[in-house]
Amino acid sequence: MTEPVSITQKDPETEADVIVVGAGPAGSTTAYHLAQAGLNVLLLEKTTFPREKVCGDGLTPRAVKQLVKMGVDIDAPGWIRNKGLRIIGGGVRLELPWPDLASYPDYGLVRTRMDFDQILAERAVAAGVKLHMNTNVTGPVLDDRTGRITGVVAKTADGEVTYKAPLVVAADGNSTRLSLAMGLRKRDDRPIGVAVRRYYTSPRHDDDFLESWLELWDGDRLLPGYGWIFGVGDGTSNVGLGLLNTSEAFKNVDYRALLRSWLAGMPEEWGYQEDNATGPVRGAALPMGFNRTPHYTRGLLLVGDAGGMINPFNGEGIAYAMESGEMAAEIIAQALARPTPAQRERALHDYPRVLKEAYGGYYTIGRIFVKAIGDPRIMKFATRHGLPHPTLMRFTLKLLANLTDPRGGDAMDRVINAMSKMAPAA
């Protein structure tokens, strides 16, 4: 990145080059890369660490690559590596190793969100970011003449505080009140998922494969989605399920009851019973496939879940939160190094194009995929006839996890890359 000229500070506690709202993976990654580029950054987080988030806790090689870029010590205690994905369905049990690629490592990780976000925030602070916790952003500060965001107002322990910066990054998750206050509504033509999960003490806590169950039945209805069992390595398993809104049954499903009925069919020795639960069932919405746009407007950039960047194929959000944060940081650093407002604005308007180039065609294919499996007949056919073919499933793993080499890859990589390039951008 070109090192930008920093703004002259009046008060480093409340004024910065960039304000990042939300210290989840998207926000902390954005802030880290901005600080690495020499910018003064305020990172505002409404809670305090450690704090819990609803998540599967599984990290694919895409996310691992981002952690390595941030200098996170993934060999430290608390990180558990996995070799790939175990898929169960249609009477088949198939173990698929993560592909051997030049672009990504061949292993994934598991780490609970109880301290994962804190680890990333601490990396941002170590890079020079000013982190304010217990700082609940309630709305934007707008220029009366242009409508451009020039800061945010937040509730703190010391009362209401106004923070000022010429650029603001919304990394405040699916609810993204900041984006809503700027008039950015979610798009109804994009898929939405719902995930519920619970932790159980289990002898399967040190499994070296992520496990995905492709058949979720609600009575006699086959639902579009999957169940997961991810060993956390601390004596517990993260067990949950994710469903898509592309099925007629979506609004009529009791997700918590579905989780209980699914687990009731598991072997008793695995320990997924009420007595072994370490906490309640918790759920969250999964905004997919760019369900909130534009990703840049009037001084505000959207990253991660705030911009609906979850992968429609597999519900993965952390990797795309971190990747979009890095992209946003690079665009911002380049923009703030430009000498005139017009040139800065031109650079900032490149952010949506960069996102579309990275994910647009792939997310379009994902939308077609999730719409198709919303039909139980297609879902049943795919499960019964696809799983018995290992070569097809290796291709499917690469497609669903978005793991290909852009150049010099194998035939599968070339097919997936060509499909993504030919598809219209999301």
Side-chain angles (χ1 to χ4, degrees), residues 9 42 225 232 262 267 286 322 360 398 406 409:
Q9 298 297 303
L42 289 174
V232 180
W262 176 54
L286 304 176
M322 298 180 74
K398 283 193 167 191

Side-chain angles (χ1 to χ4, degrees), residues 53-93:
K53 280 288 187 74
V54 177
C55 186
D57 300 333
L59 303 165
T60 71
R62 288 192 78 100
V64 176
K65 181 177 182 177
Q66 289 297 316
L67 292 169
V68 172
K69 280 188 179 183
M70 289 182 65
V72 174
D73 183 4
I74 57 175
D75 293 318
W79 298 94
I80 178 171
R81 294 196 181 196
N82 55 75
K83 299 175 181 177
L85 183 66
R86 181 184 303 115
I87 299 177
I88 296 172
V92 175
R93 182 180 184 273

Side-chain angles (χ1 to χ4, degrees), residues 75-385:
D75 293 318
W79 298 94
I80 178 171
R81 294 196 181 196
N82 55 75
K83 299 175 181 177
L85 183 66
R86 181 184 303 115
I87 299 177
I88 296 172
V92 175
R93 182 180 184 273
L94 190 63
E95 289 189 348
L96 299 170
W98 296 119
D100 184 12
L101 301 170
S103 302
Y104 300 98
D106 64 349
Y107 60 92
L109 295 166
V110 173
R111 183 92 185 199
T112 72
R113 294 292 295 277
M114 181 60 74
D115 66 352
F116 177 82
D117 294 16
Q118 181 175 355
I119 291 169
L120 298 191
E122 288 172 351
R123 290 299 302 155
V125 170
V129 172
K130 182 69 176 179
L131 172 64
H132 290 284
M133 293 188 285
N134 271 328
T135 302
N136 186 12
V137 172
T138 56
V141 177
L142 302 179
D143 183 283
D144 292 336
R145 183 176 58 84
T146 64
R148 185 182 181 86
I149 193 168
T150 59
V152 296
V153 177
K155 291 180 180 177
T156 75
D158 298 322
E160 190 172 87
V161 177
T162 297
Y163 299 91
K164 296 180 181 180
L167 291 174
V168 178
V169 176
D172 48 347
N174 174 52
S175 59
T176 186
R177 288 193 296 170
L178 187 59
S179 301
L180 291 172
M182 291 284 287
L184 302 180
R185 308 288 172 183
K186 69 178 182 179
R187 297 179 56 164
D188 294 330
D189 62 341
R190 298 293 189 261
I192 289 283
V194 169
V196 294
R197 66 99 174 98
R198 200 176 195 185
Y199 293 101
Y200 295 86
T201 56
S202 169
R204 301 196 62 201
H205 71 96
D206 58 352
D207 194 345
D208 57 3
F209 274 78
L210 301 180
E211 188 166 283
S212 178
W213 293 58
L214 296 190
E215 289 183 298
L216 291 177
W217 293 89
D218 184 24
D220 59 355
R221 296 183 300 181
L222 180 61
L223 302 174
Y226 67 93
W228 71 75
I229 300 174
F230 297 165
V232 180
D234 62 354
T236 66
S237 295
N238 180 321
V239 184
L241 53 87
L243 296 173
L244 295 157
N245 69 342
T246 51
S247 165
E248 292 292 330
F250 179 78
K251 294 181 180 179
N252 302 316
V253 174
D254 182 335
Y255 308 105
R256 287 165 173 78
L258 180 62
L259 179 63
R260 288 193 296 271
S261 66
W262 176 54
L263 294 180
M266 300 288 180
E268 185 174 349
E269 61 268 21
W270 290 1
Y272 303 137
Q273 296 100 26
E274 186 67 31
D275 290 347
N276 293 329
T278 63
V281 178
R282 291 172 60 97
L286 304 176
M288 297 176 168
F290 292 159
N291 85 325
R292 184 174 279 105
T293 56
H295 291 115
Y296 171 73
T297 182
R298 295 175 290 145
L300 180 74
L301 297 90
L302 311 187
V303 295
D305 287 8
M309 296 183 197
I310 290 177
N311 183 345
F313 282 106
N314 65 357
E316 179 182 12
I318 289 177
Y320 300 94
M322 298 180 74
E323 289 175 6
S324 62
E326 184 185 15
M327 292 180 211
E330 183 167 0
I331 293 287
I332 290 169
Q334 293 292 336
L336 291 182
R338 305 285 173 89
T340 69
Q343 290 175 330
R344 288 193 289 272
E345 198 66 11
R346 190 176 303 120
L348 291 165
H349 275 286
D350 201 39
Y351 177 57
R353 183 198 63 79
V354 169
L355 286 174
K356 285 185 178 181
E357 187 176 274
Y359 308 131
Y362 177 77
Y363 281 176
T364 294
I365 300 170
R367 294 206 314 274
I368 296 169
F369 170 82
V370 298
K371 186 175 182 180
I373 66 170
D375 185 332
R377 295 168 298 180
I378 295 177
M379 183 70 178
K380 188 173 183 179
F381 180 86
T383 302
R384 297 292 179 182
H385 298 282

